[in-house]
Amino acid sequence: MSLRNSILIIAIILLVDQFVKIYIKTNFVYGEAGQIDVTNWFKILLIENEGMAWGTKIPGEYGKLILTIFRILAVFGIGYWLYDASRKHSSRYLMVAIALIFAGAAGNIIDSVFYGVIFDDSYGHLSTMFSDQPYGSWFHGKVVDMLYFPICEGHFPDWLPIWGGQPFKFFNAIFNIADMAISTGVGILIVFNKKAFAKKTAVESYKPSQE
């Protein structure tokens, strides 16, 4: 698979990811008030987080800035990994996986870098794009999430220690297209590990790549 095709995958995912985020951000109110039930197990619900899994934050005044800079550096590293894999004519599995991970990471970085100065907040009203009163500053934007799959919910059995009788939901995470791309890329590396990292024979290495 060529580097050009990998870049095409990245561009498509970024466009879809940002289109969905901007649409949701400007047409949904934060939290339950803006929820749409697509099915019993699939809902559209706008939330925002600091950019880490499960809404985790790095404490301190510069925690968000540190996270954003770290993620930017990580994307540069992933970009070099993609270039190097292309130069070595690596397998299609590896190229697709890296492209997906790169696109997902870049998509969330766009939120973190720009959204704080582009949008106002979504609490109790619809957000405005290019607002005169943005909710944040450069590198301090929040990542927009909206895909919610509470497939089943109920209560833990009373006899269960600690959690007995408490409510639960599965699947409780809310995520976005970029998160899906990262998870899919990592999944490919795990499930198709041998094919992704297969080494070409000496004869194959001298043939032009057909991928």
Side-chain angles (χ1 to χ4, degrees):
M1 180 174 175
S2 67
L3 182 61
R4 179 183 301 176
N5 289 338
S6 298
I7 294 174
L8 179 60
I9 291 174
I10 293 170
I12 292 172
I13 292 174
L14 284 176
L15 286 173
V16 173
D17 176 64
Q18 289 301 309
F19 174 82
V20 171
K21 286 175 177 175
I22 292 172
Y23 178 82
I24 294 295
K25 178 70 175 168
T26 55
N27 287 274
F28 283 71
V29 177
Y30 189 97
E32 295 294 332
Q35 176 176 298
I36 288 182
D37 296 340
V38 181
T39 68
N40 290 335
W41 50 268
F42 174 36
K43 306 176 188 297
I44 304 296
L45 175 63
L46 168 62
I47 68 165
E48 296 173 298
N49 64 65
E50 298 294 336
M52 295 181 68
W54 308 101
T56 306
K57 299 180 181 180
I58 296 179
E61 180 181 357
Y62 300 103
K64 174 61 178 179
L65 179 61
I66 292 171
L67 172 62
T68 301
I69 292 174
F70 172 78
R71 292 169 72 107
I72 292 173
L73 293 175
V75 163
F76 275 106
I78 298 169
Y80 177 78
W81 184 20
L82 180 62
Y83 167 76
D84 188 58
S86 173
R87 185 172 57 86
K88 294 178 179 178
H89 303 296
S90 297
S91 72
R92 187 186 305 271
Y93 291 92
L94 182 60
M95 293 291 291
V96 170
I98 300 174
L100 290 171
I101 295 171
F102 181 96
N108 285 335
I109 284 176
I110 291 173
D111 299 28
S112 296
V113 173
F114 299 106
Y115 277 26
V117 295
I118 292 178
F119 295 101
D120 55 8
D121 68 69
S122 301
Y123 296 92
H125 60 87
L126 296 179
S127 178
T128 302
M129 194 173 185
F130 302 117
S131 171
D132 293 332
Q133 297 180 321
Y135 71 80
S137 57
W138 293 99
F139 296 93
H140 288 79
K142 297 179 181 179
V143 175
V144 175
D145 294 324
M146 76 295 294
L147 303 177
Y148 182 31
F149 291 87
I151 297 174
C152 64
E153 58 184 295
H155 290 78
F156 289 110
D158 292 333
W159 51 263
L160 190 69
I162 303 177
W163 299 286
Q166 296 186 16
F168 74 88
K169 285 185 180 181
F170 180 86
F171 177 66
N172 200 38
I174 303 174
F175 51 95
N176 57 43
I177 303 296
D179 297 330
M180 289 177 59
I182 295 173
S183 298
T184 302
V186 173
I188 291 173
L189 295 180
I190 294 174
V191 176
F192 301 101
N193 182 271
K194 291 183 178 180
K195 292 182 178 180
F197 295 100
K199 294 182 178 180
K200 294 182 178 294
T201 64
V203 174
E204 290 177 322
S205 65
Y206 285 99
K207 292 180 180 180
S209 174
Q210 300 299 317
E211 301 180 351

